[in-house]
Amino acid sequence: MFPQFREENGMKVSSVPLSLANLEIQLAEILTPFGEQLPRPFPVLIDDFMNSLPDVFTQMLKDAEAIFAGDPAAKSLEEVVVAYPGFYGIAVFRIAHRFYQLKVPVFPRLLTELAHQFTGIDIHPGATIGDYFCIDHGTGVVVGETTVIGNRVKLYQGVTLGALSVVKDQASRKRHPTIEDNAVVYSNATILGGQTVIGHDSIVGGNVWLTSSVPPYSTVYHKSEIHLRNVGEGEDRS
């Protein structure tokens, strides 16, 4: 998707048409074994996917810009695209989500699990994620299937957007939270439940555990408690 950053490996912009043709052949090889499980003939699905690539690329570029703007350590957009695990995890999700929307079985999950192996970022391809999504660092991030994330949301490493329970008969329900526009969720926060909504422009601090909604412009912090002991006595003074 970003051949201008891969010229050192022999990839040039002029070779994009040939690469796309090869991609169509590879996709045909991947989808053919699914046969009757596909909702439509695989040539139609491949055409739909290829036609969606410009939009997917635009979303990826917005994500890269959000990561670049959100990380003072990032020196260039190129660095974000080629080296940042947060961008890699999101980029693979964008592609997998498109196959998920086309109702291709198994393959979308294989793609996001591949990104999970490389980055530690586990995003279900069914999640709905808006533009300018930023994941900082990323290791340990979990985003469940029915999660809804708005625009310009930022997650730090270790964040879990999960379900309150794993009961099988709730598979068709919204089980994961909604994070509205411009929210920031700091490291190791856990937000659970399909009815839980983090209002827009809110900040959820590190290590917070949330199972209920918070209104827009909220700030939620985990309160640390310090207990002092009398030296030599081992008694708690507070």
Side-chain angles (χ1 to χ4, degrees):
M1 298 293 280
F2 296 89
Q4 67 272 33
F5 296 156
R6 297 291 185 181
E7 290 191 1
E8 71 278 12
N9 296 328
M11 173 66 80
K12 298 181 181 300
V13 174
S14 59
S15 65
V16 169
L18 178 60
S19 297
L20 291 175
N22 289 333
L23 175 60
E24 290 189 45
I25 294 172
Q26 292 170 353
L27 287 175
E29 293 174 348
I30 291 170
L31 297 181
T32 299
F34 290 105
E36 295 181 354
Q37 298 182 58
L38 298 174
R40 286 172 290 170
F42 70 82
V44 178
L45 290 175
I46 291 173
D47 283 345
D48 287 345
F49 174 76
M50 299 302 289
N51 290 333
S52 73
L53 283 180
D55 290 337
V56 172
F57 173 76
T58 298
Q59 282 190 307
M60 289 182 182
L61 199 57
K62 291 177 179 177
D63 297 329
E65 291 172 355
I67 294 172
F68 178 66
D71 184 358
K75 300 299 187 291
S76 67
L77 204 62
E78 178 181 5
E79 181 183 9
V80 170
V81 170
V82 302
Y84 270 56
F87 177 77
Y88 186 86
I90 298 169
V92 173
F93 160 79
R94 296 294 188 195
I95 294 173
H97 182 64
R98 185 60 189 138
F99 283 112
Y100 184 91
Q101 289 177 313
L102 293 171
K103 302 187 184 306
V104 174
V106 184
F107 185 53
R109 192 61 176 162
L110 290 174
L111 290 175
T112 55
E113 281 304 315
L114 181 66
H116 186 192
Q117 292 177 29
F118 280 117
T119 65
I121 298 169
D122 181 5
I123 308 177
H124 194 286
T128 301
I129 300 178
D131 292 336
Y132 296 100
F133 183 42
C134 174
I135 296 179
D136 196 3
H137 300 289
T139 303
V141 166
V142 177
V143 178
E145 180 183 15
T146 60
T147 301
V148 176
I149 295 176
N151 297 319
R152 300 184 184 280
V153 168
K154 184 175 185 179
L155 306 183
Y156 283 80
Q157 66 275 11
V159 168
T160 296
L161 305 180
L164 274 170
S165 66
V166 291
V167 179
K168 192 67 176 176
D169 62 8
Q170 293 186 1
S172 61
R173 300 180 182 178
K174 188 178 185 309
R175 310 180 305 281
H176 307 93
T178 295
I179 314 296
E180 293 185 342
D181 295 351
N182 305 313
V184 178
V185 184
Y186 280 94
S187 58
N188 298 316
T190 299
I191 304 171
L192 305 178
Q195 302 306 311
T196 302
V197 178
I198 304 303
H200 63 81
D201 297 281
S202 290
I203 297 173
V204 178
N207 297 310
V208 165
W209 181 282
L210 273 176
T211 57
S212 58
S213 299
V214 299
Y217 298 105
S218 295
T219 300
V220 186
Y221 283 117
H222 173 75
K223 182 180 179 182
S224 298
E225 294 185 351
I226 300 174
H227 298 271
L228 298 178
R229 290 179 293 104
N230 289 326
V231 177
E233 298 179 359
E235 295 180 355
D236 197 339
R237 294 193 297 167
S238 62

